[in-house]
């Protein structure tokens, strides 16, 4: 009896040691911290940092994968200057001020999309075939990001976004080059993937603010019952557990994270299934299939990516997810000249010139001009040079909790009020617009929720305005019947006021 009690105590101590550092871990259907408290992950994905996707760079029509973008740049400025640009890009995209800001805005986690080639050489470049050369750059960048996260008590989740060889034919996502063997066509690429995850797990095994490992992002490859994917997942998990029993492994389905055929039941007791949600209705039916997986297998689920839509969609999606205790990571943090993320990177006239040349509508610029344009773009990556889309943050946090509107800025009357400075809030409260979100996954019909694509991410259609008389550079256009805007104003004195409006119309019928 004494022996049995002693053994029980030893097991309790061993179990406590596993999570004594405050590691996130699985408890039935929930993700909890070291104290057993439920943790609802509210994260931001750093898309575009370690892996540039063509649509984020405005290059997708002629260079969708990062290797294609690099080839375009090298052809203009040479290999050395290309490397300088990418070094500046990596330095400027995410800094301590970015992590501090994400924390202040309300995020408690960051999802890091990694490109394997910052951590190890491609198999074609290995000096000894079958061996792994480790590159310090990726590890040091990750170390620094984890340090900033820890200082802010935020969890960092590693996401292998571009695997050796590429995990899918959608090349922008994985940097897949069809001229080389993919992850699924090369045993050596798969071995390198396993080795990389083991190396990462060895490095971060004792880091409590490391939230976990998202093993392979958005596989999109035809395979029977997902067996090759399951086999690789199991092999990676086994390798991680040889050195790290502390951290969660996140498992995504095939076909952009949403096909879990053959990937159930769970094979590890500290595992989470991760799905991605884009452009679908925000009702329970849209996630019921994942709720069923959670119930059937008694395992937590996580929405590892969502975004790329309007503020209304953001608010509704987050409300839905959090109602069902599902954490999330939004996508992405920064893009060039875009309204649907927290930060928009200004696109200079110099970079526009490069895009025009690459797309075949302008003459070739000089190497010096191209280099200066690229380095200016890298400087624009810094948070202080980006455009802060505070309406996006308001939609993701405040509007999830309350429907009340909030003044976009202070308006004093008598005075001048710009139409684009309507209140912060959702459709039907701060404004009314007939098109306010895109649900094409559910409807098969794409909806442009904002025809102007500038300044704010609501259904209100805002465009650039070159008329500088009493304007801030934008106007509200594409106005339809029953659409309206609401403004909170400060009035010093109760009185009768005259209002005048500046309008423009392509016809004389407008009023």
């Amino acid at each position: 009896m004494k022996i049995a009690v002693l053994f029980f105590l030893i097991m309790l101590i061993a179990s406590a040691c596993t999570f004594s550092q405050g590691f996130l871990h699985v408890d039935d259907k929930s993700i909890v911290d070291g104290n057993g408290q439920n943790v609802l992950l509210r994260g931001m994905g750093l898309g575009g940092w370690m892996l540039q996707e063509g649509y984020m760079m405005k290059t997708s029509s002629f260079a969708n994968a990062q290797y294609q973008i690099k080839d375009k740049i090298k052809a203009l400025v040479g290999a050395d200057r290309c490397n300088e640009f990418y070094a500046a890009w990596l330095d400027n995209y995410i800094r301590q001020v970015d992590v501090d800001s994400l924390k202040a805005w309300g995020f408690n986690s960051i999802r890091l999309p990694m490109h394997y080639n910052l951590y190890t050489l491609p198999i074609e470049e290995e000096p000894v075939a079958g061996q792994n050369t480790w590159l310090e750059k990726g590890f040091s960048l990750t170390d620094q990001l984890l340090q900033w996260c820890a200082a802010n008590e935020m969890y960092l989740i590693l996401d292998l976004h571009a695997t050796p060889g590429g995990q899918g034919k959608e090349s922008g996502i994985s940097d897949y080059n069809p001229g080389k063997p993919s992850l699924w066509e090369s045993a050596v690429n798969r071995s390198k993937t396993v080795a990389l995850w083991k190396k990462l797990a060895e490095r971060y095994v004792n880091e409590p603010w490391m939230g976990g490992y998202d093993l392979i992002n958005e596989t999109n490859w035809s395979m029977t019952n997902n067996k090759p994917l399951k086999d690789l997942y199991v092999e990676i998990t086994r390798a991680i557990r040889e050195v790290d029993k502390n951290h969660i492994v996140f498992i995504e389905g095939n076909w952009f994270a949403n096909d879990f055929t053959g990937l159930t039941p769970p094979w590890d007791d500290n595992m989470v299934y991760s799905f991605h949600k884009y452009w679908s209705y925000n009702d329970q039916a849209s996630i019921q299939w994942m709720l069923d997986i959670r119930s059937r297998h008694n395992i937590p689920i996580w929405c590892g990516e969502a975004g790329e839509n309007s503020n209304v969609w953001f608010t509704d999606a987050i409300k839905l997810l959090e109602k069902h205790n599902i954490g999330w990571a939004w996508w992405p943090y920064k893009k060039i000249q875009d309204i649907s993320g927290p930060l928009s990177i200004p696109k200079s006239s110099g970079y526009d010139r490069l895009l025009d040349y690459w797309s075949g509508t302008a003459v070739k610029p000089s190497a010096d001009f191209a280099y200066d344009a690229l380095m200016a773009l890298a400087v624009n990556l810094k948070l202080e040079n980006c455009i802060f889309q505070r309406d996006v943050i308001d939609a993701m946090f405040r509007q999830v909790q309350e429907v009340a509107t909030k003044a976009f800025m202070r308006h004093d009357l008598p005075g001048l009020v710009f139409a684009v400075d309507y209140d912060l809030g959702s459709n039907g409260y701060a404004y009314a617009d007939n098109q306010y979100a895109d649900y094409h996954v559910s409807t098969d019909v794409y909806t442009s929720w904002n025809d102007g694509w500038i300044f704010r991410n609501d259904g209100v259609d805002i465009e650039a305005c070159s008329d500088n008389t009493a304007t801030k550079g934008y106007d509200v256009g594409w106005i339809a019947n029953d659409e309206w805007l609401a403004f909170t104003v400060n009035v010093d004195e109760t009185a009768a006021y005259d209002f005048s409006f500046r309008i423009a119309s392509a016809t004389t019928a407008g009023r």
Side-chain angles (χ1 to χ4, degrees):
M1 183 63 180
K2 290 181 180 179
I3 295 175
V5 171
L6 179 61
F7 176 76
F8 179 68
L9 290 174
I10 291 172
M11 291 301 294
L12 282 177
I13 293 170
S15 177
C17 288
T18 301
F19 300 121
S20 63
Q21 299 295 314
F23 296 103
L24 283 186
H25 61 281
V26 167
D27 184 6
D28 291 330
K29 300 180 183 69
S30 299
I31 296 173
V32 300
D33 62 17
N35 297 317
Q37 299 298 309
N38 185 73
V39 175
L40 190 63
L41 292 169
R42 297 181 173 104
M44 177 54 68
L46 304 185
W49 181 34
M50 289 186 172
L51 172 63
Q52 294 172 336
E53 298 187 32
Y55 85 99
M56 296 183 188
M57 302 295 292
K58 309 294 185 185
T59 64
S60 57
S61 63
F62 52 82
N64 194 37
Q66 181 172 269
Y67 79 88
Q68 295 171 319
I69 299 170
K70 283 189 173 184
D71 286 346
K72 294 286 186 185
I73 293 173
K74 287 177 185 177
L76 275 179
V77 302
D80 290 343
R81 281 179 157 182
C82 178
N83 291 337
E84 287 182 45
F85 165 67
Y86 276 94
W89 183 276
L90 292 171
D91 286 343
N92 294 343
Y93 179 104
I94 189 80
R95 298 177 295 153
Q96 183 170 351
V97 66
D98 293 274
V99 181
D100 293 347
S101 297
L102 286 165
K103 176 67 173 184
W105 297 336
F107 296 95
N108 64 10
S109 53
I110 287 175
R111 179 173 178 253
L112 171 59
M114 303 179 297
H115 196 309
Y116 83 92
N117 67 10
L118 290 170
Y119 301 83
T120 185
L121 291 176
I123 60 171
E124 296 83 5
E125 297 177 18
E126 284 289 359
V128 179
Q131 293 190 8
N132 297 302
T133 301
W134 301 113
L135 307 176
E136 184 56 29
K137 184 65 175 178
F139 294 103
S140 62
L141 289 172
T142 308
D143 290 348
Q144 183 65 85
L145 179 58
L146 179 58
Q147 180 180 330
W148 293 332
C149 286
N152 280 285
E153 298 187 343
M154 298 174 71
Y155 293 104
L156 177 63
I157 296 172
L158 302 186
D159 149 40
L160 190 53
H161 220 76
T163 66
Q167 66 273 21
K169 293 185 178 180
E170 178 52 58
S171 61
I173 294 172
S174 62
D175 205 18
Y176 166 66
N177 184 342
K180 298 178 180 180
S182 74
L183 178 68
W184 310 112
E185 297 166 325
S186 167
V188 183
N189 273 329
R190 292 193 292 277
S191 294
K192 182 178 280 286
T193 301
V194 174
L196 173 57
W197 272 120
K198 186 173 183 178
K199 190 78 170 178
L200 290 163
E202 286 175 329
R203 194 177 186 99
Y204 301 118
V205 55
N206 294 316
E207 297 290 346
W209 292 107
M210 179 61 71
Y213 310 132
D214 188 347
L215 301 188
I216 302 176
N217 176 72
E218 290 195 348
T219 297
N220 50 101
W221 199 270
S222 295
M223 53 181 74
T224 302
N225 295 325
N226 292 330
K227 188 177 186 306
L229 181 58
K230 167 73 174 294
D231 291 346
L232 183 55
Y233 273 150
V234 170
E235 188 177 358
I236 294 171
T237 304
R238 186 181 300 118
I240 288 173
R241 292 299 181 232
E242 288 175 3
V243 296
D244 181 353
K245 294 179 173 58
N246 292 329
H247 291 107
I248 293 171
V249 291
F250 293 87
I251 301 299
E252 299 184 26
N254 194 358
W255 300 116
F256 307 98
N258 292 327
D259 176 11
F260 288 88
T261 303
L263 301 181
T264 59
W267 53 87
D268 187 82
D269 60 5
N270 200 20
M271 189 173 114
V272 172
Y273 285 123
S274 172
F275 68 104
H276 293 180
K277 179 175 171 59
Y278 287 105
W279 314 299
S280 60
Y281 288 143
N282 288 310
D283 54 13
Q284 183 166 327
S286 70
I287 61 168
Q288 188 61 53
W289 61 284
M290 283 303 300
L291 297 175
D292 292 343
I293 288 177
R294 179 170 69 180
S295 297
R296 188 179 305 121
H297 300 290
N298 196 40
I299 186 173
I301 56 177
W302 178 58
C303 183
E305 269 190 37
E308 302 290 9
N309 215 311
S310 70
N311 288 338
V312 168
W313 194 92
F314 291 177
T315 301
D316 290 345
I318 292 171
K319 282 182 179 179
L320 173 69
L321 294 169
E322 296 196 352
K323 176 183 177 182
H324 293 280
N325 194 33
I326 302 171
W328 46 266
W330 234 240
W331 185 267
Y333 178 43
K334 297 179 181 179
K335 280 194 298 186
I336 295 173
Q337 194 175 297
D338 191 81
I339 58 173
S340 63
L343 295 178
S344 175
I345 307 161
K347 179 160 63 79
S348 67
S349 58
Y351 189 65
D352 259 332
R353 172 86 182 277
L354 299 188
L355 295 178
D356 289 342
Y357 164 66
W358 285 327
S359 61
T361 61
V363 298
K364 183 178 180 179
S366 69
D368 289 341
F369 179 93
Y371 174 75
D372 290 343
L374 290 166
M375 296 307 288
L377 181 66
V379 171
N380 284 349
L381 272 178
K382 293 182 176 180
L383 181 142
E384 61 267 26
N385 296 328
C386 288
I387 299 166
F388 176 42
Q389 307 282 159
R390 57 195 176 92
D391 57 300
V392 171
I393 296 300
D394 190 74
M396 294 181 66
F397 291 97
R398 186 188 67 84
Q399 292 178 43
V400 172
Q401 304 302 323
E402 61 182 46
V403 297
T405 64
K406 181 180 179 181
F408 183 76
M409 61 176 293
R410 183 180 176 90
H411 299 301
D412 292 311
L413 296 182
L416 182 65
V417 177
F418 296 112
V420 297
D421 292 336
Y422 59 91
D423 284 357
L424 291 165
S426 193
N427 191 53
Y429 296 91
Y431 67 92
D433 198 276
N434 295 332
Q435 295 183 330
Y436 49 85
D438 176 31
Y439 303 102
H440 73 259
V441 166
S442 297
T443 65
D444 291 326
V445 177
Y446 170 75
T447 300
S448 172
W449 68 88
N450 188 312
D451 290 321
W453 299 112
I454 200 166
F455 192 61
R456 295 177 70 169
N457 191 41
D458 294 317
V460 179
D461 304 304
I462 298 173
E463 64 181 341
C465 179
S466 58
D467 179 356
N468 291 319
T469 304
T471 182
K472 64 188 301 179
Y474 309 104
D475 67 61
V476 175
W478 296 274
I479 300 169
N481 288 339
D482 299 322
E483 296 185 339
W484 49 261
L485 304 172
F487 299 84
T488 298
V489 298
N490 301 302
V491 183
D492 290 335
E493 181 181 355
T494 300
Y497 288 87
D498 292 326
F499 286 82
S500 61
F501 299 87
R502 295 186 68 247
I503 62 171
S505 177
T507 70
T508 58
R511 62 185 177 91

